[in-house]
Amino acid sequence: MVTSLLWTTTGATLLGVLSSIRSAVALNNGVARLPILGYNTWNAYQCNIDEDLVLGTAQLMKSLGLQDAGYNYVNIDDCYAEKNRTTSGDIIEDRVRFKNGMKNLNKQIHALGFQTGIYSDSGWFTCGGYPGSYENELRDLRTFSNWGFDYLKYDNCAIPYDSITRTGIVGKYQRMADAVKQVAKETHKTPIVLSLCEWGWSQVWLWGAELGQSWRTTGDIAPNWDSLAFIINFNSFLTQATDFYGRNDLDMLQLGNGGLTYEEAKSHFTAWALMKSPLLIGTNLSQITPDILGILKNKEILDINQDPVVGKSISPFRWGINPDWTSNSTHPAQYWSGPTKDGTVFMLLNTLNEPASMTFNLTESPWIRAGRQYSVRDLWAHADNGTAVRNFTAQNVPPHGVVALLLKDVGDEPGGLFPECSVWWQCTDRNGTRVGG
């Protein structure tokens, strides 16, 4: 679907919503100042998990160098529990698949240098039909803390009737956020990271930062280009909501599970990382290829995701094949930029099914100064690419491929350039005459 947000009634409404989005008033409780990097069991294994698989995944992350690259969370998703609570009302781990207990498993994974995550749901049941946490939020958070978990993914299935909740979606998630605060106070421990999986899209990017450190903005990712394009398009209008301690969650990294070309996998990783999404690998690590491992370990891209000085997401400065502010779930915005501690990062995304050369004027990005020249670093070639003066062209970007560049100011542009301005029709001499044409 293609929608021009500037020229439709729906667009006017959405622009009104967008204008109200501010930099996230983040929940600064001392955890997850930067995006979480790690692993989640769901995409590769769904319910087919046990303690040996989880521990083995942690060991593989270490041996593959992923821990050294910054991936330091090992998160268990749905289906780890018994289908019924104990007689005292507690969630209990599956007695067969986690026979030695979650506490013991956590000790082993923590001993490897990782932190750990667990899963629950804001409704009666999880999405897999296991006990949810509604009306048991504090009880369950105490259980997860006692087991030794550092992170909670909190889902949105099996919502109780309105006559029971008597609240909106914010109030339903507030219950677990309050439990996180209470357990931190009781235990004198660092609060558990709360990741809201509210895929109902009820403007979660506007309120999520007040409750947790990340919030899902769309439904589950699928291993194909159409899914990536949809997610990128949707989030292109929400980038203002991401900053330190709070960020849009674009869902897991669906790399290496089939369905994506190598170039699409690079685009997937680049967009997620530069939009400062959490980076949670969903790949079977025992089957990972060197190419995919190389994508995941791209230090120059990861350094921007983990920038300690700038927490903001990249944003589109031009949509490209569509008019600006056009919502197109198959052809999202193509030209993006954002500030970093080391310069301005650019993402050029070829959404076409054929190679394309992509050109932009440097000052189209609000982070670039007019009248200056910039060194160009190619973050995928890991090589310097000359000096850009006024504009830059990336030649023959592959179908669904990406170019990621870091531009650094290296001084005034050369003298004597004509016209006097790179965007000549915007400039005027002090005597009132145009400077080019």
Side-chain angles (χ1 to χ4, degrees):
M1 181 181 74
V2 181
T3 305
S4 176
L5 301 183
L6 291 177
W7 306 113
T8 66
T9 303
T10 302
T13 302
L14 184 50
L15 281 176
V17 172
L18 294 174
S19 67
S20 70
I21 298 175
R22 63 203 187 286
S23 295
V25 181
L27 181 65
N28 180 357
N29 63 354
V31 298
R33 180 176 184 269
L34 299 175
I36 294 297
L37 274 63
Y39 189 89
N40 182 286
T41 59
W42 184 255
N43 281 16
Y45 303 106
Q46 297 195 357
C47 288
N48 299 314
I49 57 172
D50 59 31
E51 60 187 32
D52 292 335
L53 183 143
V54 176
L55 180 59
T57 296
Q59 293 166 338
L60 266 174
M61 290 177 70
K62 199 173 184 76
S63 66
L64 290 169
L66 288 167
Q67 185 184 58
D68 289 341
Y71 296 89
N72 58 357
Y73 275 79
V74 180
N75 297 344
I76 300 170
D77 210 283
D78 205 351
C79 309
Y80 62 85
E82 290 285 334
K83 281 294 184 87
N84 297 300
R85 292 175 178 268
T86 65
T87 54
S88 59
D90 295 323
I91 287 179
I92 185 172
E93 59 271 82
D94 187 291
R95 294 179 178 88
V96 175
R97 293 183 289 118
F98 294 90
K99 59 183 180 297
N100 292 307
M102 287 296 187
K103 186 178 289 190
N104 179 68
L105 179 59
N106 270 316
K107 286 180 179 178
Q108 294 181 80
I109 297 176
H110 284 146
L112 292 171
F114 292 99
Q115 294 179 285
T116 56
I118 195 64
Y119 169 97
S120 191
D121 191 277
S122 60
W124 297 122
F125 305 100
T126 69
C127 299
Y130 293 81
S133 289
Y134 187 74
E135 292 189 337
N136 285 285
E137 290 86 0
L138 185 56
R139 175 190 294 275
D140 291 350
L141 214 284
R142 285 170 174 156
T143 295
F144 302 147
S145 177
N146 181 54
W147 282 348
F149 285 105
D150 309 290
Y151 170 107
L152 173 64
K153 174 183 173 180
Y154 203 48
D155 218 334
N156 191 37
C157 285
I159 299 171
Y161 295 146
D162 295 351
S163 60
I164 296 172
T165 62
R166 303 289 184 185
T167 188
I169 192 72
V170 181
K172 189 161 68 76
Y173 277 86
Q174 183 72 58
R175 297 167 68 101
M176 183 54 82
D178 290 343
V180 169
K181 295 176 187 176
Q182 179 63 30
V183 171
K185 183 178 180 181
E186 293 172 356
T187 61
H188 305 288
K189 294 180 180 178
T190 302
I192 284 178
V193 177
L194 182 57
S195 176
L196 311 178
C197 191
E198 196 289 305
W199 33 263
W201 307 352
S202 63
Q203 297 185 8
V204 65
W205 54 91
L206 291 177
W207 54 264
E210 299 174 8
L211 303 182
Q213 284 73 40
S214 64
W215 44 86
R216 279 277 296 282
T217 53
T218 62
D220 291 351
I221 191 172
N224 58 66
W225 176 255
D226 286 347
S227 179
L228 300 186
F230 177 90
I231 293 171
I232 292 169
N233 175 68
F234 192 89
N235 283 275
S236 68
F237 302 100
L238 314 177
T239 58
Q240 304 95 324
T242 285
D243 211 326
F244 291 130
Y245 295 106
R247 53 200 54 90
N248 295 323
D249 179 356
L250 280 59
D251 200 13
M252 285 172 266
L253 291 171
Q254 190 72 357
L255 303 174
N257 290 337
L260 295 179
T261 67
Y262 174 67
E263 296 298 336
E264 289 170 345
K266 285 170 56 181
S267 296
H268 176 14
F269 179 79
T270 303
W272 266 235
L274 299 187
M275 279 197 266
K276 304 295 181 75
S277 175
L279 301 178
L280 293 173
I281 302 166
T283 301
N284 182 337
L285 293 181
S286 66
Q287 300 174 3
I288 196 168
T289 65
D291 282 348
I292 297 302
L293 189 60
I295 291 174
L296 291 168
K297 293 167 67 173
N298 184 326
K299 184 178 186 303
E300 295 189 75
I301 300 286
L302 289 172
D303 282 350
I304 296 174
N305 179 265
Q306 297 291 297
D307 190 329
V309 177
V310 180
K312 297 180 184 298
S313 164
I314 59 170
S315 299
F317 60 84
R318 175 156 48 95
W319 262 248
I321 64 171
N322 293 306
D324 290 348
W325 296 99
T326 296
S327 177
N328 187 327
S329 59
T330 58
H331 292 83
Q334 296 181 287
Y335 295 85
W336 303 62
S337 70
T340 80
K341 66 181 178 62
D342 294 318
T344 302
V345 64
F346 286 81
M347 180 177 77
L348 312 181
L349 190 67
N350 179 12
T351 65
L352 301 175
N353 298 325
E354 58 191 26
S357 294
M358 304 181 70
T359 299
F360 64 94
N361 184 300
L362 301 190
T363 57
E364 287 184 83
S365 167
W367 313 111
I368 291 292
R369 296 169 60 191
R372 308 286 285 181
Q373 57 185 328
Y374 287 80
S375 66
V376 180
R377 177 72 177 178
D378 188 318
L379 302 182
W380 280 108
H382 305 296
D384 296 329
N385 194 7
T387 301
V389 179
R390 296 194 172 183
N391 57 64
F392 183 88
T393 298
Q395 302 285 354
N396 296 316
V397 183
H400 302 168
V402 72
V403 173
L405 307 169
L406 184 64
L407 271 61
K408 295 183 181 182
D409 189 322
V410 291
D412 289 339
E413 66 181 21
L417 297 180
F418 182 84
E420 295 287 341
C421 298
S422 59
V423 187
W424 60 265
W425 58 89
Q426 293 181 346
C427 291
T428 304
D429 191 89
R430 67 181 61 194
N431 67 11
T433 61
R434 293 284 184 179
V435 300

